[in-house]
Amino acid sequence: MPLVNMKDMLDHAYTHGYAVGAFDLVGLDFLEAIVSGAERARAPVILSLAESHFAHFNFELAMPAVEAAARRARVPVAIHLDHGASMESAVKAIRLGANGVMVDTSHLSIFDNIAATRVLVETARACGVCVEGELGYVPGVEGEDAERHPGPVQYTTLAEARAFAERTGVDCLAVSIGTVHGRMKGKPRLDWGRLKEINMALGLPLVIHGGTGLSDDQFRKLITLGVAKINYYTALADVAGDTIHAAARAGARGYTALLADVRTAVAAEVERCLRVWGAAGRAAEVLDRCRPWLNVEHLVVYNAPNLDEVRLRALMAEGQRVLSAIPGVREVTVGSAAEEGVPYRHCWLIRFSAPEVIESYKQHPDHVDFAGRLFRPAAADRLTTDFRIADLAAGATALPLTGVPLQPPPLSNSRNGWSLVDKPSAA
Ligand SMILES: [Zn+2]
C-alpha cells in the first residue's frame, strides 16, 4: 500500500473520532513490529523518528528501510520527524522521505516559537509536508526519554493556542495538558476543560506527547476532545526491555536469542493501542480518502554542444550540489547517454518528494540562479517534464489481469516521442 499524505490521514482521524498512533522507532525490530501491529489491527499508522534517538541508530541509513517498510505495508503509513532539533533537520528528513515534520521550538517564548514554526510551515508546505507545532511544555519525569525533557510542566493556554494556530498555519498541534514524556509517577491528572476549550477554538487535529501510562478511558476521552495523533514510545521500550530481561532470566545469552521475542511483544502493544484509540479497521477508508504520497521525477534531457568534457562535468557537479539542497528535492542524478546517435546526450533526473515541489523548486532562488546563469545558456536544446511516480503495487488489484500486456511497449527514442511531454520552460 502506498504512503499517504499525513495531513489527510490526521484530518480523517480528527473528523471520524479516532487517533492515529505515532510510534517512535529505534531500530529494525521496532520498525517491523510497528508495521506488523498496525497490519493486525488494519489501522493507519505513523512511523515516527525522534531526533533524540539518533544517538542509537543512523538516521540516513534507517530511512530507506523505513520507506521500504511503509511502501510494502498492507496499511496506510506516514513517516514523521519527531522533535526535530532544527530547520535543517526538517529539510533533511523530508529529503530522506518524511512526509510529516515537527521541530521542537516549544522551549522558546511564544513569539519566537510562532516565528520559527511559521518559517517551518512555509518550507514544509512548499514540499507538501504536514507540520506539527507544539505549544506549552511536556516535561519528562522518569523513563528512557525523561531526561531529555527537563523542567516543570507548562500548560498550553487557550489564548496562546489560538494565536499560534492562526499565525503559523500548522496542520496539527501538540498540547500540554498534564501528560509527561517517559513514564508517569502516580496517576496522571489531565486538564480536560483546557483541552476542550482549545479543541473548540482551533478545530485542528491535536496531538498528545507522553501517551505512556494513560488509562484506556483517558485515551478515549482525549480522542473525543480532538486528539487525533498520540505519540507513544516509552511503553514500547519497556515492553521490549522486559522481553529481553525475561529471555536473559530464561538462560538466553546471544544477541539474537535475547531479542527473539521483542518484535512479537512490541507488535502486540502497538495493536492493543490502535484498537483502544479507534484506529483499528480504518485502513481501507484512509486509503480511499487520503491522497497517496507519491514522489515526482523531474526529468531534463539536453545537449550542451559548446561545453567540453571538463566544463560539462563541472556544470553537473555544481547543479548536483546546488539543487540537492533545495527543500523537497530528494535526489539529483546526472548522466550522459549510454549510446551514440540519440537526440539528447545528457540528463538530469531530479526526484521531488511531492507534486507541490514542482512549483516551489521552479521558484527557488538557487534554482533560478543556477538555471539562468549556468544551465540554460549552455543547454538551449533541452526538454523538461515532471513524472508522477506510479505506484503499481497499490493499484494492482484494481487492474484487469487479462488483456494487460506482459511487457510494456518499448519507449520511443525519437524526438517526437519526447516532444509529447515538452515543457521547455524550466530546467
Ligand atoms: Zn514528545
Side-chain angles (χ1 to χ4, degrees), residues 295-299 385-389 418 421:
N295 291 165
V296 167
E297 290 286 3
H298 179 73
L299 174 71
T385 196
D386 297 297
F387 293 94
R388 200 182 288 246
I389 302 302
W418 289 115
V421 291

Side-chain angles (χ1 to χ4, degrees), residues 172-293:
C172 59
L173 180 67
V175 290
S176 173
I177 56 152
T179 59
V180 298
H181 281 111
R183 233 171 274 127
M184 302 273 177
K185 261 188 186 157
K187 197 174 184 304
R189 292 171 56 84
L190 304 183
D191 191 336
W192 300 112
R194 185 182 295 268
L195 182 63
K196 187 176 181 181
E197 281 180 352
I198 293 170
N199 182 39
M200 281 170 51
L202 267 54
L204 270 184
L206 300 177
V207 182
I208 285 295
H209 286 224
T212 294
L214 300 177
S215 70
D216 291 359
D217 284 341
Q218 283 177 314
F219 277 129
R220 290 190 196 101
K221 193 162 177 185
L222 285 170
I223 292 163
T224 63
L225 297 175
V227 169
K229 173 175 179 278
I230 295 171
N231 286 19
Y232 199 80
Y233 168 71
T234 306
L236 299 187
D238 286 350
V239 161
D242 291 347
T243 308
I244 292 167
H245 280 297
R249 280 196 301 274
R253 279 194 61 202
Y255 179 74
T256 55
L258 286 166
L259 265 63
D261 295 327
V262 164
R263 268 181 296 183
T264 312
V266 171
E269 177 63 6
V270 167
E271 181 186 358
R272 185 191 73 78
C273 289
L274 293 171
R275 292 191 186 283
V276 172
W277 302 342
R282 300 281 187 172
E285 264 173 83
V286 167
L287 257 192
D288 197 44
R289 308 278 172 80
C290 302
R291 285 167 290 172
W293 181 259

Side-chain angles (χ1 to χ4, degrees), residues 101-112:
V101 290
M102 181 242 187
V103 171
D104 192 347
T105 43
S106 62
H107 54 284
L108 300 175
S109 73
I110 174 79
F111 301 104
D112 292 340

Side-chain angles (χ1 to χ4, degrees), residues 41-91:
R42 290 183 297 116
V45 72
I46 296 172
L47 297 173
S48 180
L49 295 101
E51 185 151 356
S52 59
H53 291 151
F54 294 177
H56 309 306
F57 62 91
N58 185 309
F59 183 49
E60 291 194 33
L61 290 182
M63 281 298 273
V66 172
E67 197 175 4
R71 295 232 179 258
R72 57 193 272 184
R74 285 177 281 131
V75 291
V77 176
I79 302 173
H80 183 66
L81 173 71
D82 183 27
H83 287 282
S86 63
M87 181 72 167
E88 291 71 33
S89 299
V91 170

